[in-house]
Amino acid sequence: MSRCAFLSLPRAWEAARQLGNTRSSPRKHGVRGLCGVQRATNTRHSTPLPRNHLLTLSAHQVARSVRSGELSAERIATAYLEQVAAVEASVGAYLVLDAEAVLERARSLDARRARGEKLGALAGVPIAVKDNLVTAHLATTAGSRLLSQYTPPYHATCVERLLRADAVLMGKTVMDEFGMGSSTETCAYGMTRNPVDTTRTPGGSSGGSAAAAAAHMALAALGSDTGGSVRQPASFCGVVGMKPSYGRVSRNGLIAYASSLDTVGPMGRTVGDVALCLEAIAGADDADSTCLPGAAPPFWGRITEALAEDQAPLRGKRIGLWTEALDDIQVDDSVRATILQARDTFTALGAEVRPVSLPHLAAACSAYYILASSEASSNLARYDGVRYGARDPEAANTVSMYTSTRTHGLGEEVKRRVMLGTYALSAGYYEAYYRQAMRVRNVITLALRGLFEDVDWLLAPVAPTPAFRLGEKRAVDMYSGDRMTVPASLAGLPAISVPGKVGEGQLPVGVQLIGRYLDDEGVLLAAAALERATKA
Ligand code: GLN
């Protein structure tokens, strides 16, 4: 399959060309199917709102219309491909996008419907997938040069489930290498720009997925969240991003970063779209022993019903406003104002909002980086040129082959994490770092459990600031920006970022809601209520 088959869609190519985004050859590694982003100028602009109304339909509306035959999956796919052609060159969300395969898939769904088959809950819904989720016969790189030649033989369970629900897989999205980063700048094949302001980062590591959803280049997208990588880019790009409870969604086929923290999470323009995707991908999986038993609850139907019946759906609910996160001196004024506005909205919706204390921001961040790096050092040992990874064929012996494979294949940030993690796990330092970080993790988990005896949800910023500029921060300077997302990750709790109310012309700011373990439905409901009130 051609990785640049996007070019084979004449109309889309023509549209891109007219915009002046010509390209003559694929990237050096032949992975990135669409180019132009590297040459995009640094002048600020935001991607135009889509003119085609088909791009504004919700996932449920698309699926319902495709199932009934009112709309063809092909029309939907074509509309999204045209949007990709118009804006991808200035955003750069995709690593691989095969337009012919997208259209073929859409046509096959239409043919099945025409034969009288009943299509699934995501019939014809175009969904992009982060490139650390393996896809059969479609390049999967996790943003690393080391995996530039890797084409997996199977689909990740969540991808398989999207396809079983009759979604259309748009392509694979740009990400920080192996999920390590907060800006999508550490990808070996080039970065992604924030569609809201192309001089800024889309956040990371799932920046490609967030940008694809925000710029209407996919209706929804899957990302992965180890310490905030779904929530933070969602906040930066103005979309919804959910990190489900740990174990809610199978990790089978998710290229591991830190296995005790990794989760797969949906992103989309509305809470409803995210709920529908989560419903499709969640549930027990024999291929992942950490995946919880039982089928996924019908999230979408339940929140839709709860909202339809009640104008004050949060009456009697208690929300804790995380004071240390809000009072943090580095929190930007626009972020603080957005969270306080959300507090008022929740109060108007019938909830009682009270301040709560969780003073572990700095400790959570330090513990997270020790633990995530330790697990990464172990998980990434498999990229040795033997089991996985593009081997250096010139090397004289085995040891120099390992060395040069990893030296050339891994980026700077990944090497930093591997070294940090290996150090923290080594004899003599294990007690002081790894064991101590595990203790901090326990303290935070217990503190959160205690808080949830008094409140139903925790309200907090997602990140201290809105999207920062590309190149503005060094990787290590970004670490502390994760302090508001990592506590939920360490404790395995469900958490969501939903766009808050911001002033005209301001950058998007996400509102974070964290819920009790396994109360993904409650988190979705609170977020949907906030979304409805914010948009009203
Ligand atoms: N920014 C965090 C990190 O670099 C979180 C990444 C993630 O959630 N994948 O580790």
Side-chain angles (χ1 to χ4, degrees), residues 189-518:
Y189 309 101
M191 63 194 170
T192 298
R193 290 167 186 270
N194 191 322
V196 180
D197 173 350
T198 52
T199 65
R200 292 176 190 270
T201 108
S205 62
S206 313
S209 286
H216 297 253
M217 290 196 278
L219 196 152
L222 294 188
S224 68
D225 192 311
T226 304
S229 279
V230 160
R231 288 162 284 162
Q232 184 255 27
S235 173
F236 282 16
C237 293
V239 295
V240 181
M242 166 113 179
K243 174 204 124 42
S245 300
Y246 183 82
R248 180 63 89 184
V249 179
S250 170
R251 287 183 297 112
N252 176 48
L254 168 65
I255 294 180
Y257 163 10
S259 312
S260 78
L261 298 154
D262 291 342
T263 55
V264 176
M267 312 174 90
R269 292 184 293 275
T270 65
V271 176
D273 292 349
V274 164
L276 200 63
C277 286
L278 183 61
E279 193 175 317
I281 61 174
D285 180 16
D286 289 342
D288 173 7
S289 60
T290 61
C291 192
L292 298 160
F299 294 119
W300 185 86
R302 287 203 191 148
I303 63 164
T304 310
E305 218 169 88
L307 289 190
E309 280 171 7
D310 198 341
Q311 285 307 307
L314 304 183
R315 198 177 299 118
K317 298 289 186 189
R318 290 159 306 170
I319 298 179
L321 179 61
W322 181 4
T323 46
E324 288 83 359
L326 196 69
D327 295 343
D328 187 302
I329 49 163
Q330 279 166 22
V331 168
D332 194 88
D333 287 347
S334 69
V335 172
R336 190 171 291 116
T338 304
I339 302 302
L340 291 175
Q341 169 87 43
R343 174 200 61 188
D344 296 346
T345 307
F346 279 127
T347 309
L349 288 170
E352 180 207 327
V353 187
R354 58 170 83 149
V356 295
S357 171
L358 183 72
H360 310 98
L361 281 162
C365 206
S366 308
Y368 167 81
Y369 273 93
I370 296 286
L371 296 173
S373 301
S374 299
E375 293 189 32
S377 80
S378 156
N379 272 327
L380 269 58
R382 72 192 71 174
Y383 304 106
D384 55 7
V386 178
R387 287 168 292 177
Y388 289 95
R391 178 187 298 194
D392 175 3
E394 318 265 279
N397 56 46
T398 315
V399 174
S400 64
M401 188 279 288
Y402 287 154
T403 312
S404 94
T405 296
R406 288 170 74 85
T407 301
H408 297 114
L410 299 175
E412 190 185 309
E413 182 57 19
V414 173
K415 285 180 191 149
R416 183 181 297 122
R417 308 274 183 119
V418 168
M419 285 171 69
L420 177 65
T422 308
Y423 182 83
L425 289 176
S426 58
Y429 295 104
Y430 180 88
E431 275 293 327
Y433 294 106
Y434 184 80
R435 184 66 65 77
Q436 185 64 9
M438 281 302 276
R439 287 193 192 104
V440 172
R441 183 177 193 172
N442 273 336
V443 167
I444 290 167
T445 306
L446 291 175
L448 279 163
R449 198 173 297 163
L451 279 182
F452 284 117
E453 282 173 14
D454 293 329
V455 299
D456 296 289
W457 302 290
L458 215 54
L459 167 65
V462 176
T465 65
F468 45 88
R469 287 188 194 286
L470 289 161
E472 182 182 325
K473 294 192 185 188
R474 290 181 316 140
V476 279
D477 299 331
M478 293 179 204
Y479 294 3
S480 68
D482 296 333
R483 60 193 180 279
M484 290 151 193
T485 46
V486 294
S489 304
L490 291 169
L493 305 180
I496 199 165
S497 172
V498 60
K501 207 177 189 81
V502 292
E504 190 66 29
Q506 273 185 0
L507 292 168
V509 173
V511 173
Q512 182 176 211
L513 288 164
I514 305 172
R516 286 191 191 98
Y517 184 55
L518 289 188

Side-chain angles (χ1 to χ4, degrees), residues 147-200:
L147 289 178
S148 57
Q149 284 146 35
Y150 179 52
T151 303
Y154 69 107
H155 284 309
T157 298
C158 55
V159 174
E160 187 73 57
R161 287 184 183 173
L162 288 181
L163 295 174
R164 219 187 295 152
D166 293 324
V168 171
L169 176 63
M170 284 295 285
K172 307 296 291 290
T173 58
V174 181
M175 58 179 283
D176 281 305
E177 186 174 5
F178 289 112
M180 300 173 190
S182 307
S183 64
T184 315
E185 290 168 300
T186 74
C187 178
Y189 309 101
M191 63 194 170
T192 298
R193 290 167 186 270
N194 191 322
V196 180
D197 173 350
T198 52
T199 65
R200 292 176 190 270

Side-chain angles (χ1 to χ4, degrees), residues 80-96:
Y80 273 91
L81 288 171
E82 283 172 0
Q83 174 74 358
V84 171
V87 301
E88 169 66 3
S90 59
V91 175
Y94 283 104
L95 274 170
V96 177

